[in-house]
Amino acid sequence: MVKVTLPDGAEKSFLDDVTVKEVAFDVGEGLGKSALAGKTNGVLVDLDFPIKEDVSLSVVTENSKEGLDILRHSTAHIMAMAVGHLFPDAKFGIGPTIENGFYYDFDLKEAITQDDLARIEEEMARIIKDDIPVYREEMGIADSVKFMGEAGQPYKVELIKGLEENGEAVSFYKQGDFVDLCRGPHVQSTGRVKAFKLLSIAGAYWRGKETNPMLQRIYGTAFPTKKELNKYLECLKEAEKRDHRKIGKDLDLFSFHEEGGPGLAFWHPKGAFIRNIIETFWRKEHYQRGYEIVYSPHIAKLDLWKTSGHWGFYRESMFPPIEIDEQEYLLKPMNCPFAALMYKTKLRSYRDLPMRWAELGTVYRYERSGVLHGLLRVRGFTQDDAHIYCTPSQLQDEIIKVIEFAQDMLNAFGFKEYEVELSVRGKGEEEKYIGEDKVWEMAESSLYNALKDKNIDFVRMEGEAKFYGPAIDIKVKDAIGRAWQGPTIQLDFNLPERFGLYYIENDGEKHKVIMIHRTVLGTMERFIGCLIEHYAGNFPVWLAPVQVKVLPITDAHNDFVFEIKERLESNDVRVECDTRNLKTGNKIRDGILEKIPYLLIVGDKEKEQGTVSVRSLKDGDEGSVGLSVFIERIKEEIEKKE
RNA sequence: GCUGCUGUGGCUCAGGGGCAGAGCACGUCCUUGGUAAGGACGAGGUCAUGGGUUCAAAUCCCAUCAGCAGCUCCA
């Protein structure tokens, strides 16, 4: 007999070799039917896993994250099987689950097309309809290598060889004529998959290495029911509508030009207006928090970049030199060397520190062509940069202040979700980094303590530190869940060294200054790109380039409309009028499509009573109110940044 | 940079070796209207660029440029 402990603490006894599935059915018919796998003592196992000793068991159903992953992983196998049928020479790579689905990589002679996806889906549907049983098998490493070698699967052979040190046997899952190396668990038969969809095709390097061959990757997803699948596909469509590139065009915010060059953004008046509001807010916040604002040039002599180390370490990301008067100049990819030069113009005392110099600095980087993406990855951008010079004893406090600042900024723009990473040195590769061990340890623990102090969840990224210092990075997500680095706090041991940046301590001695690079938004381009997707273009009133549009019912009300416009403008409200010769419904529709927060409709009634009929983007028709009442309301909203 | 796909009026897109299309937007006129599209007429395109095949190329082929998806990269 074996004793099985269930998640609710209940204990049940069964005959030896009882399977997970049998236990699940014993607990309840419903659980048995929705079961996909089990978890014995925390390890995922198949439904037909025989229980041989006392265990704690939880039944994994398709409604849990783990269950969904199993379902998707099995769907990936079905897809691979289908691809194998349609392309008999296919060599299989890997096929894992990912956040919202799965993929599988194939090495094929011919390129897969969109039409092929439909064919593959059909074949998958057939495999599912045939309800082919799925079996697990274990095999020794040597036999596995031989088996996959004979099957003409070099990638699998490579994978198995990589597993060698972990044990003597590897597991395979077999369904009909398809066998795949896999840890499992899997569904018991292919018919268990009820709703799937293949989404896209892309290239992907084998094992993610640029020097490896490029395989063809097919992305897909699966859900327990058709309804959930459709809901997900609907969400994808909705997310597409939030795409900042589309909204930027629709709302006339910015553009890119073939004639201008890839990755170079042109800000139209309305986009520039939003940017200007953000920059004004940014300046005010900086002055309030003890920063001073500086400006520096866009280009500088090549020698400066040799001194800073950029020419050595960063050259391939820089635009090539420009020759002027037999001197070579470079467009700046970063602002820091300029901050260093300015620091050096005076002898600094510990009494001067901390010094916080902020700069909206426009930089240019030669990003590889394939990585450009709307405003989110560009070649010319403006960092909301700052360089803080401080003493070691001030470091901790300064980091905490920057974290608070970044959080306040993200909050001001309604970003509630973001990921925080602490990038530190990799173990055993200390020589890759500049600076003494002692200093690194102090710096890493300062960043760590600051995050702890602010009670922030973060992921520790070993080996992700820059060569010149550790960092805290904050990542914001776009409409379809891709994470983009925004605010960053980087400690720098390199520039103070290279430029000889020091201060006089109270002992009268020179000490090396600590330099912090930081941004609290990231860059104007990326931040506003994310902001557009975050609000789906429906900007809160304080950010909306046009806050109010006044619509006359007929042109007999135009005078009243202009009067209202003046009243609003004298109260610093940004307002436009729509006196076009169109019906009211038509003008309202256009106003909504322009995502204007407030439309004020005025006709005879309003003119007589001195009121406006308010239609908000958020709540629709709100009825008439006195003009001064409306003005107070919108002023308050702007003030509160709602 | 790599793999695949795409490029037709301001926008969204159809067409696919034989005279360049639609809707929206734009202009003029009619219409003076009450909370998401009133009507008529009109103007607007060397079909991304360069080369090739062909009697004939927007259409087929090659290259280049730009964009999209993903990979890689991201001081």
Side-chain angles (χ1 to χ4, degrees), chain A residues 298-414:
Chain A
H298 288 77
I299 63 172
K301 287 182 184 172
L302 181 59
D303 278 351
L304 177 71
W305 304 102
K306 283 183 178 163
T307 305
S308 70
H310 289 91
W311 187 244
F313 287 102
Y314 199 60
R315 192 186 318 183
E316 40 179 66
S317 294
M318 296 169 77
F319 280 82
I322 311 161
E323 199 179 299
I324 308 153
D325 295 341
E326 292 173 30
Q327 276 283 346
E328 291 195 299
Y329 285 78
L330 284 168
L331 268 169
K332 67 173 170 184
M334 289 179 204
N335 304 301
C336 30
F338 298 84
L341 290 183
M342 286 192 271
Y343 181 89
K344 281 184 68 164
T345 54
K346 275 174 81 175
L347 195 56
R348 308 288 175 182
S349 151
Y350 72 95
R351 294 174 190 275
D352 299 325
L353 303 181
M355 280 190 347
R356 310 184 188 98
W357 286 354
E359 171 176 18
L360 288 167
T362 304
V363 299
Y364 292 88
R365 297 183 185 172
Y366 175 70
E367 301 283 358
R368 295 209 276 180
S369 63
V371 305
L372 301 173
H373 183 88
L375 286 179
L376 300 183
R377 188 102 179 244
V378 285
R379 283 183 173 164
F381 52 93
T382 301
Q383 293 181 306
D384 70 302
D385 214 349
H387 298 91
I388 299 172
Y389 297 100
C390 66
T391 69
S393 63
Q394 292 165 339
L395 178 60
Q396 181 79 78
D397 198 37
E398 285 303 310
I399 295 168
I400 290 173
K401 280 183 181 156
V402 173
I403 292 175
E404 284 171 351
F405 196 174
Q407 282 186 313
D408 288 350
M409 290 300 264
L410 290 175
N411 278 335
F413 294 98

Side-chain angles (χ1 to χ4, degrees), chain A residues 20-37:
Chain A
V20 171
K21 188 179 187 176
E22 285 160 356
V23 175
F25 269 104
D26 184 78
V27 173
E29 174 101 12
L31 185 67
K33 278 185 178 165
S34 64
L36 280 177

Side-chain angles (χ1 to χ4, degrees), chain A residues 417-627:
Chain A
E417 285 176 36
Y418 40 85
E419 292 166 1
V420 180
E421 292 177 357
L422 172 63
S423 295
V424 297
R425 285 195 297 185
K427 288 201 180 67
E429 37 179 33
E430 279 79 5
E431 73 288 352
K432 272 172 54 184
Y433 304 91
I434 281 181
E436 298 161 34
D437 283 352
K438 220 173 64 190
V439 181
W440 268 88
E441 279 156 26
M442 186 268 293
E444 288 183 359
S445 63
S446 299
L447 292 172
Y448 177 86
N449 291 336
L451 289 170
K452 283 289 170 195
D453 185 78
K454 299 309 296 175
N455 219 357
I456 294 170
D457 287 334
F458 64 94
V459 186
R460 192 181 173 89
M461 307 292 280
E462 302 282 346
E464 290 295 308
K466 326 295 181 210
F467 76 88
Y468 56 73
I472 291 172
D473 297 318
I474 299 179
K475 298 193 167 186
V476 180
K477 286 187 175 176
D478 71 8
I480 60 171
R482 289 175 295 210
W484 298 89
Q485 185 179 315
T488 177
I489 307 167
Q490 304 177 0
L491 301 190
D492 189 338
F493 311 132
N494 177 48
L495 286 186
E497 178 76 40
R498 286 175 169 267
F499 282 93
L501 307 181
Y502 59 85
Y503 63 98
I504 308 298
E505 190 45 279
N506 62 2
D507 57 6
E509 298 292 319
K510 279 186 185 179
H511 289 260
K512 201 167 294 156
V513 77
I514 291 187
M515 187 180 193
I516 306 171
H517 307 253
R518 51 104 278 192
T519 67
V520 289
L521 299 175
T523 68
M524 299 314 296
E525 285 74 9
R526 180 174 288 179
F527 187 77
I528 292 172
C530 282
L531 197 64
I532 291 168
E533 305 206 349
H534 176 67
Y535 287 124
N538 303 307
F539 293 106
V541 189
W542 76 287
L543 287 170
V546 179
Q547 296 167 318
V548 173
K549 202 163 194 177
V550 194
L551 321 178
I553 299 287
T554 78
D555 52 18
H557 310 112
N558 282 359
D559 288 348
F560 186 47
V561 162
F562 294 132
E563 218 174 282
I564 293 169
K565 181 169 186 265
E566 267 175 41
R567 278 279 303 280
L568 288 165
E569 278 172 345
S570 66
N571 282 282
D572 294 322
V573 175
R574 301 185 288 273
V575 54
E576 282 183 356
C577 305
D578 188 349
T579 52
R580 291 177 303 167
N581 184 4
L582 288 172
K583 285 199 175 181
T584 309
N586 209 321
K587 294 189 215 179
I588 287 169
R589 178 170 191 272
D590 288 349
I592 291 169
L593 292 178
E594 286 172 61
K595 298 179 183 287
I596 310 240
Y598 289 105
L599 302 176
L600 301 182
I601 296 117
V602 293
D604 288 336
K605 203 174 77 192
E606 287 75 14
K607 195 173 171 181
E608 268 166 41
Q609 300 171 351
T611 58
V612 290
S613 173
V614 178
R615 187 185 173 104
S616 74
L617 189 57
K618 221 186 284 173
D619 299 320
D621 189 358
E622 297 183 13
S624 293
V625 293
L627 179 57

